[in-house]
Amino acid sequence: MRKLVFLFCWAAGLLCSKTVLAQNPPIANSATIFLQMKKLNVLGSVLYVAAHPDDENNTLLPYLAKGALYKTAYLSLTRGDGGQNLIGDEQGFELGLIRTEELLAARRIDGSGQYFSRAFEFGFSKSATEALHIWDKEKVLADIVWVIRKYQPDVIITRFPRDKRAGHGHHWASAILANEAYTAAADSTKFPEQFKYGVKPWQAKRILWNTYNFGSINTTSNDQLKIEVGGYNALLGESYGEIGGEARSMHKSQGEGRPRREGSITEYFTTTGGTPPDSTLMDGINITWSRIKGGAAIIPKVNQLIQQYNIQHPEYSLPALVGLYHAIQQLPEQNNWTKEKLKEVINLIVDCSGLMAEATSSNEYAVEGQHMQLQFFVNKRLPAALQLKKLTLMSRQQVLFDTAIAQLLPVNDNIAFERKFLVALHQPVSQPYWLVHPMENVGMFTVTDQTLIGRPESLPAYAVAFTFSIDDVQFTIQKAVQYKYLDPVKGEVYQPFVVTPPVAVSLQPNVVLSDVERQGKPVDQPALNLQIQANYAAPNVPVQYRLQQGNTVIYTKDTVLNFETGKNYAWSVPLAGTFDAQKIPVIHPSVTIPIQGKNETYDLNVKKIAYNHIPTIHYFYTDSVNVITKPIKVVGKRIAYIAGAGDKVPDAIQQLGYSVQLLQEQDITDEKLRQFDAVVIGIRAYNIHEFLTTKNDIFNRYIYNGGNFIIQYFKSNFINNKPVQAGPYKFLVNGSPRVTEENTPVHFLLPQHSVLNYPNKITEKDFDGWVQERSTYQAQTNDTHFEAPLSMHDTDEPASSGSLIMAPYGKGNVAYVSLVLFRQLPAGVPGAYKLLANLIALPKHE
């Protein structure tokens, strides 16, 4: 009787060698195959838990996964949505999408798995109490318990302690929750609703804190468990410190590039639950096959497999692998470990056969209601008695195509064919699963399917199951359909295959100021730019597009278009006479077109996020315009902007009616700067561009001659280990306090100061509706030239006045702004626009 095992996506590649492009299939060689064989004899598992992407210990993880050969995974409670972005202007959940893929890129390097909870990183938090209040503590705890019960780790490790030494409140909370989950996962009365999904109570042997020595904080001591993790792995040709440096450098959006470390590296651990270990993480834990009933008989079979492995002919190991598969499958006890090891054996059969199987499309998108052309490819590159039995195309577990083949595969001969399929009219778009439903609150994503919780990514829209047999073992490997193309620089590239609507609908800009005045005259209201992108080709398509405020249609137009795939069609819609100021201030678009004989309405736009170090990301949303009707006065016309770590402030300045020019290093001259009413420096720019320091004298002359110089926050007073020079007077931001409570009261210390009165009167109400935080990396100075008009503080903290400081210099002014305008402006906070207009308009001095 043939035995069947279903293996989801063998190309997880936990031990495969690295690839140049993040999405391309992993490559197995003889050395990594041998390492996989050695891993067969290790039945120990570790779950590492922390709060954010880049919290993980990037040297420890590859040591555990590729050195000790434990099954290893990292559980990050959040996706890092609230951080700052050093490579682009994405913020919020967009940044979380990037950081999710950066974590997965790091895991492909260090060989570990990846999990998440539903918690949203809402920004910097100063205490676990705040974090657990904003998150739904019970739901985050349930998510950790769910992952523990599914993963069944022998040892749980936290990155942080359960107290204020952790620093960030999320760090602190992650350790509290992990320790509670360590106990709750074993308690059948805790979250019993999970059991209907196949999990059972699970008690890990112990939970440890991976102590650390970061800067001035040293939590290590000689009486703690010490493990050397910096060793060299000859099979991989690199040390775990080198692997860890490469993995850490995948966190590019956070500026976490790190060296590949050689030499001794010691990690320290202290026990926070369970039996303390003496010398290894797995003390007292049976990590051999004898932990399974009848499993002791497997050990000599694996040892023989390893001893007889021929590095030049991995296919010689196939008969022994088939026998090992049978032996494991026939054990009297079947559990998570037998399932895991059966998958590992199938992985080895695939790799020792040199088997390659894929399903791809030469188009990036599958369009609802249209046809897609898929290419199927199989090649067995080494001599092995492997037979292709059938192919099955699935979408969301629904079979679309199932064909029997029963063909013995020739050696290194390509089997390839194409088929065309109709994409269902209402096929779900390729939306990240945690963005499908609106968030429950500012701290939690909404996920209604329990089986998705913990997963790093959504299931693929389309997958192909390739069923093979070797001797009397039949197995199926499932591969996601991917978009594959040839790039003239990168070569062969694989990217996600994305389901999209027939049209994408956009409306710009995202924020419009409807009542802006300059010198007593209204600034022209901008028109709205409505645009649709056709994702298929068709002649004479009747199109009706409309704009709505809530459920009220405020604008509609009918036209006929000849659709061309990928072509954009745009219309300008005047705001005046269209927008009703008495209704809700949000406008959103929709389009109706005929599809398959019926009129269908679409309102989704698609955002594509592309960086070289991660796979391309797509998500879908309904575009909208937030119209600010409060009157705002502006002074001046031309603004220079020097971009920093990526923000959307230049767009906001344009919405105020200014002409904005982005400057580069070569533009920083006296002659160039004198053209502008103000120069605005982007967030973190001083920590990115050394030229801002080296050309400080030019900026100072600009200020002295009457210019306004506005510095948005930077993180430290150093760049490349050199002091930052910013403006004519000294101030510090190193270790400065932050105000993270976005609703904390703001006190006016200098109510008559021009920045609070000209040309707009700023009141306490202008600080209503702020998002995420008030201020970050505030200034500290004793220089009496500076004035500080505002004061604020978080609960139970002393007041600080470093969120906004300014000083006259010659005829002009310099200002340092740590108020998080870069978050408030895209969010459409009217007071942030008024304050920005006042900063630009700071009065000149005689």
Side-chain angles (χ1 to χ4, degrees), residues 94 152 154 258 266 269 275 304 309 320 327 417 443 527 553 585 681 720 787:
E94 288 186 350
Q152 297 187 357
D154 294 308
R258 292 292 185 270
T266 303
F269 304 86
T275 306
Q304 186 177 23
Y309 178 61
F417 64 93
V553 176
I681 308 298
N720 300 328
E787 296 177 306

Coordinates of all heavy atoms in Angstrom, one line a residue, residues 94 152 154 258 266 269 275 304 309 320 327 417 443 527 553 585 681 720 787:
E94 N 2.1 50.2 6.7 CA 2.9 50.0 5.5 C 4.4 49.7 6.0 O 5.0 48.8 5.4 CB 3.0 51.3 4.7 CG 1.7 51.6 3.9 CD 1.9 52.8 3.0 OE1 2.9 53.5 3.0 OE2 1.0 53.0 2.1
Q152 N 5.0 23.8 20.1 CA 5.5 22.9 21.1 C 7.0 23.0 21.4 O 7.7 22.0 21.3 CB 5.1 21.5 20.8 CG 3.6 21.2 20.7 CD 3.2 19.8 20.5 OE1 4.1 18.9 20.4 NE2 1.9 19.5 20.5
D154 N 10.5 23.1 23.5 CA 11.0 22.5 24.7 C 11.5 23.7 25.6 O 11.3 23.6 26.8 CB 12.2 21.6 24.4 CG 11.8 20.4 23.7 OD1 10.8 19.7 24.1 OD2 12.3 20.1 22.6
R258 N 24.9 45.6 10.1 CA 25.9 45.1 11.1 C 27.0 44.4 10.5 O 26.8 43.8 9.4 CB 25.2 44.2 12.2 CG 24.2 44.9 13.0 CD 24.9 45.9 14.0 NE 23.9 46.5 14.9 CZ 23.2 47.6 14.7 NH1 23.4 48.3 13.6 NH2 22.4 48.1 15.6
T266 N 29.8 35.0 23.6 CA 29.1 34.3 24.7 C 27.7 34.9 24.9 O 27.6 36.1 25.0 CB 30.0 34.4 25.9 OG1 31.3 33.9 25.7 CG2 29.3 33.6 27.1
F269 N 22.2 33.4 30.1 CA 20.7 33.1 30.3 C 20.5 33.0 31.8 O 21.3 32.4 32.5 CB 20.4 31.8 29.6 CG 20.6 31.8 28.1 CD1 21.9 31.5 27.6 CD2 19.7 32.2 27.2 CE1 22.2 31.5 26.3 CE2 19.9 32.2 25.8 CZ 21.2 31.9 25.4
T275 N 12.7 24.3 35.5 CA 13.9 23.8 36.1 C 15.1 24.5 35.5 O 15.3 24.5 34.3 CB 14.1 22.3 35.9 OG1 12.9 21.7 36.3 CG2 15.3 21.8 36.6
Q304 N 23.5 5.7 10.1 CA 24.0 5.0 8.9 C 23.8 5.9 7.7 O 24.7 5.9 6.8 CB 23.2 3.7 8.7 CG 23.8 2.8 7.6 CD 23.1 1.5 7.5 OE1 21.9 1.3 7.9 NE2 23.7 0.5 6.9
Y309 N 26.8 8.8 3.5 CA 26.4 9.9 2.6 C 27.6 10.1 1.6 O 28.8 10.2 2.1 CB 26.1 11.1 3.4 CG 25.8 12.3 2.5 CD1 24.8 12.3 1.6 CD2 26.6 13.5 2.5 CE1 24.5 13.4 0.8 CE2 26.3 14.6 1.7 CZ 25.3 14.5 0.9 OH 25.0 15.6 0.1
A320 N 18.0 4.7 1.3 CA 18.0 4.8 2.8 C 16.9 5.8 3.3 O 16.3 5.6 4.3 CB 19.4 5.2 3.3
A327 N 10.1 3.8 8.3 CA 10.4 3.4 9.7 C 9.7 4.5 10.6 O 9.1 4.2 11.6 CB 11.9 3.4 10.0
F417 N 4.9 22.9 -19.6 CA 3.7 23.2 -20.4 C 2.9 24.4 -19.8 O 3.2 24.8 -18.7 CB 2.8 22.0 -20.5 CG 2.2 21.5 -19.2 CD1 0.9 22.0 -18.8 CD2 2.9 20.6 -18.4 CE1 0.4 21.5 -17.6 CE2 2.3 20.2 -17.2 CZ 1.1 20.7 -16.8
G443 N -4.5 49.3 19.1 CA -3.5 48.4 19.5 C -3.6 47.0 18.9 O -2.7 46.2 19.1
A527 N -7.4 71.1 -7.4 CA -8.4 70.1 -8.0 C -8.1 68.7 -7.4 O -6.9 68.4 -7.1 CB -8.4 70.1 -9.5
V553 N -23.5 60.7 -3.0 CA -22.8 60.9 -4.3 C -22.7 62.5 -4.5 O -23.7 63.1 -4.6 CB -23.4 60.2 -5.4 CG1 -22.6 60.5 -6.7 CG2 -23.4 58.7 -5.2
P585 N -15.9 65.2 6.3 CA -14.9 65.8 5.4 C -14.1 64.8 4.5 O -13.1 65.2 3.9 CB -13.9 66.4 6.5 CG -14.1 65.5 7.7 CD -15.5 65.1 7.7
I681 N 14.5 70.9 7.1 CA 15.3 69.7 7.1 C 14.4 68.5 7.5 O 13.7 68.6 8.5 CB 16.5 69.9 8.1 CG1 17.2 71.2 7.8 CG2 17.4 68.7 8.0 CD1 17.8 71.2 6.5
N720 N 28.4 59.1 11.9 CA 29.7 58.5 11.6 C 30.7 58.8 12.7 O 31.9 59.0 12.4 CB 30.2 58.9 10.2 CG 29.2 58.5 9.1 OD1 28.5 57.5 9.2 ND2 29.2 59.3 8.0
E787 N 14.4 80.0 22.9 CA 13.2 80.1 23.6 C 12.4 78.8 23.4 O 12.4 78.2 22.3 CB 12.4 81.3 23.0 CG 13.1 82.7 23.3 CD 12.3 83.8 22.6 OE1 12.0 83.7 21.4 OE2 12.0 84.8 23.4

